[in-house]
Amino acid sequence: MCVLPTGGEVQERPFQEIAMRDGRFAIAMLAAACAGAQTLPRTPDGQPDIQGMYTRNGVVGLEANPPENPIDPSSKNPLSVSNRGDGLGPYPGVFGQGGAVLRSGQSRQQRRTGIVDPPDRKLPWKPEEDAKRREFLLHMNPAADLRHVELNARCALPGLFQGEDGNNPYQFLQRAGEVMIAYDYNHTSRVIHLDGRPHVGPAIRLFMGDSLGRWEGNTLVADTTNFNGRVAYSREIPYLSERLHTTERFMIADANTIDYEVTIDDPELFTKPWKVAGYFTRVPAGVQSMEFACAEGSQTLVNMFGKPPESTK
Amino acid sequence: MKMLFGAITILACTGASSPVSAHHAFAAEFDVNQPVKVRGAVTKVEWVNPHAWIYVDVKDADGKVVNWHFELGPPNALFRLGWKKDAIPVGTEVEITGFRAKNGESVGNGRSLILPDGKELFSGGSAPGSEGGAKQ
C-alpha cells in the first residue's frame, strides 16, 4: 500500500497538485509515484471496490455563531451532550464509548471536517429563513408540539447527516450498477444507482432522498434529490427543505479511508450552496452491524408529554 | 459479575475520541435541574433500542414502594463494550443517580449506577476495569 504523509487538509485533487502547491517537492515526487501505483481492487462490474464497514467522522459541524439551542446548548455549555463523550455532561460516558470500540486501532487523522465552504462557516441563510429557524428552535424546549420534537428523537429515518456517528458504523456494499450504504443507526439504508436512470418524479419524497451516482476515477459522486423536508442537518439546523439537493463525493484515499465532501444546495433556505467535509475510516475486523430499531423502546414522547390517556402496551 | 468486569477492560485500550451518541437531546426530555438519587433492588433490565432501561423498586419515606425507570446507553454501544443482557441480575441492590424526566414521573436518565460493593457502572472512565482509560 502506498502511504502519503499528511499534514492538515486533504484536498480532493491530484496528490501532485496539493504537494506542489505547498512547495513540498519531495512529497510531490512520492505522491506521483503513489498515484501511479494506486490500483484499487475492482468489483466484478468494474467499480473501484469501496466495500467494508466504516465509522464516519466530522461530517456535521457547527456553523459560526450558531443560535442558542435550548434542547442541547452548544459545546461551550457544560450541559451539552451531543458534542462531548467525556462523561462530564449529564449523560454517562458510556454513551460515547461504544464508538471507542468501533474506533479502536484507528489513528487520529488530520483531515478536512465540518463546514469547509464558506471557510468562515457563516452559512448563506436567507435572513427570513434564519429567523424562522431560530424561532423554531425556541419552541423545541419545552416542545410546543410533535413537530418541534427533533426528528431523531421521533425515530425518523436519519437522512444523510443524522446517523449518530459516535456509536453507529456504516457498511458499504456493492453489486452491479449500485452502491448501498447500510446504516447501523435506525437500521436504514440508501442505494446509489449507477445505471444512468433519471431521478424519480417530483411527487415522490423520501427521508433518504433519491441517489444517482457515477464513478470519477476513485471518487464516487452521488447526486441526491427528492428529500421530504423532514431531514435535519444538526440540532442547530433542525430541518432542511424538500428542495434540498446534495452532491456527495466519496474519494477512496487509501485502503482504510474514504474522504467525503457534500455540497448542500437548498435554495429554499440558503442563497447559495455550502459544503461539509469529513471522512470514513474502516472499523477493526470483527465489528458487526447490529439492529438498531429506534421505535422498539423509545420513551421520548412519554418522557416529554406524559402517557397518552389510554396507554396500551 | 466477574465476567462482566473482565469484558469491560477492553475500554482501557481505546483512545480515539468519539462524540456522545444519544438519539435525542438530553435537555428536551430530562431536567438537569432535577437531579435524583435512589437506592433499591433491580426489578428488570430492558435491553431495547434506542436505549436500554433499568427498573428499580425504591421505598419512599413512608415505606411505599415506587418502581423507578432509568435510561441507559444504547444497546449496540453497551454490547460492544462487553455488557450482556443478564449483567445485572434482578434483585441486585443498586444506587442510581441521574436526572428526572420532564413529565415528572418516576423516570430518569441514569448518570451512574453503584453496586453494593461500591463498584460504579456505566459512568465511563470510572467503570470497573477501565482504570480511567476510557475517558475521551
Side-chain angles (χ1 to χ4, degrees):
Chain A
M1 185 179 69
C2 204
V3 179
L4 283 175
T6 57
E9 62 178 18
V10 173
Q11 297 284 350
E12 198 168 2
R13 298 188 186 117
F15 292 131
Q16 299 94 323
E17 182 186 332
I18 301 168
M20 294 299 283
R21 183 196 61 199
D22 294 343
R24 299 184 304 203
F25 298 109
I27 296 176
M29 293 178 68
L30 176 58
C34 280
Q38 196 174 40
T39 51
L40 294 172
R42 300 266 162 179
T43 62
D45 67 325
Q47 300 179 53
D49 192 335
I50 201 171
Q51 295 178 98
M53 192 174 294
Y54 301 82
T55 57
R56 188 173 71 172
N57 309 281
V59 169
V60 174
L62 278 175
E63 63 192 297
N65 303 316
E68 181 73 11
N69 181 347
I71 65 167
D72 186 29
S74 78
S75 57
K76 292 174 185 168
N77 187 314
L79 298 186
S80 173
V81 290
S82 67
N83 294 311
R84 58 189 309 159
D86 57 8
L88 298 177
Y91 276 136
V94 71
F95 273 48
Q97 289 172 353
V101 175
L102 293 176
R103 288 169 173 77
S104 63
Q106 294 178 353
S107 56
R108 290 179 189 277
Q109 299 202 41
Q110 296 292 319
R111 307 190 90 86
R112 301 170 75 219
T113 58
I115 297 167
V116 293
D117 181 20
D120 63 4
R121 296 183 293 113
K122 291 180 180 170
L123 298 184
W125 282 97
K126 289 181 177 176
E128 66 277 18
E129 293 297 337
D130 187 21
K132 276 190 209 169
R133 177 272 297 245
R134 289 169 187 266
E135 181 69 17
F136 187 95
L137 290 176
L138 293 177
H139 294 290
M140 292 183 78
N141 190 12
D145 51 30
L146 189 60
R147 194 169 68 90
H148 288 86
V149 176
E150 62 178 327
L151 288 155
N152 260 13
R154 284 187 263 160
C155 296
L157 296 189
L160 302 190
F161 309 110
Q162 297 274 287
E164 300 297 348
D165 295 350
N167 283 331
N168 299 284
Y170 297 81
Q171 186 163 24
F172 287 63
L173 299 167
Q174 284 167 292
R175 62 180 190 173
E178 64 186 37
V179 177
M180 191 187 97
I181 304 175
Y183 288 44
D184 235 30
Y185 181 72
N186 222 344
H187 227 60
T188 192
S189 62
R190 54 185 294 217
V191 176
I192 301 168
H193 300 285
L194 308 175
D195 57 4
R197 70 181 66 187
H199 277 299
V200 295
I204 297 175
R205 315 310 306 185
L206 304 163
F207 279 97
M208 306 304 290
D210 180 51
S211 294
L212 309 180
R214 64 184 183 278
W215 282 97
E216 294 180 357
N218 294 334
T219 298
L220 171 65
V221 182
D223 180 284
T224 306
T225 60
N226 297 77
F227 289 101
N228 65 3
R230 286 186 282 171
V231 173
Y233 171 75
S234 66
R235 287 190 171 135
E236 289 74 26
I237 304 177
Y239 53 81
L240 294 163
S241 86
E242 283 195 4
R243 295 173 70 190
L244 173 64
H245 172 200
T246 62
T247 306
E248 297 162 284
R249 300 180 71 83
F250 300 82
M251 188 183 78
I252 302 175
D254 60 41
N256 295 311
T257 312
I258 303 166
D259 279 314
Y260 178 81
E261 183 184 89
V262 55
T263 301
I264 297 168
D265 185 7
D266 188 339
E268 186 76 20
L269 305 182
F270 302 98
T271 57
K272 60 181 181 181
W274 45 286
K275 292 183 181 180
V276 176
Y279 59 96
F280 291 83
T281 310
R282 206 176 283 275
V283 300
V287 170
Q288 294 184 10
S289 182
M290 284 186 270
E291 182 172 274
F292 193 117
C294 180
E296 179 185 28
S298 178
Q299 300 192 31
T300 290
L301 297 181
V302 171
N303 289 343
M304 286 183 183
F305 301 114
K307 290 178 185 168
E310 289 186 21
S311 180
T312 54
K313 187 141 187 171
Chain B
M1 201 57 75
K2 233 178 200 174
M3 278 178 62
L4 164 68
F5 294 154
I8 293 290
T9 57
I10 58 174
L11 283 178
C13 305
T14 60
S17 76
S18 58
V20 167
S21 185
H23 93 289
H24 58 78
F26 178 91
E29 188 170 337
F30 298 102
D31 189 346
V32 78
N33 296 313
Q34 287 198 64
V36 292
K37 180 190 281 192
V38 302
R39 190 189 299 268
V42 173
T43 61
K44 183 169 62 169
V45 178
E46 259 187 338
W47 202 261
V48 295
N49 287 297
H51 293 279
W53 287 82
I54 189 166
Y55 295 73
V56 183
D57 269 347
V58 179
K59 271 188 192 166
D60 65 16
D62 302 327
K64 185 184 163 198
V65 174
V66 177
N67 194 241
W68 275 79
H69 315 175
F70 285 91
E71 183 184 79
L72 302 175
N76 62 357
L78 295 174
F79 183 81
R80 287 185 176 122
L81 290 166
W83 291 89
K84 296 289 181 283
K85 213 171 176 177
D86 56 358
I88 306 175
V90 168
T92 304
E93 287 285 327
V94 295
E95 178 183 285
I96 301 180
T97 58
F99 298 91
R100 197 165 194 165
K102 292 202 156 181
N103 67 4
E105 301 285 338
S106 303
V107 175
N109 162 254
R111 176 69 179 77
S112 76
L113 186 154
I114 300 175
L115 297 175
D117 63 3
K119 295 247 190 312
E120 188 176 354
L121 309 183
F122 295 125
S123 57
S126 56
S130 75
E131 298 172 356
K135 285 204 172 183
Q136 302 158 52

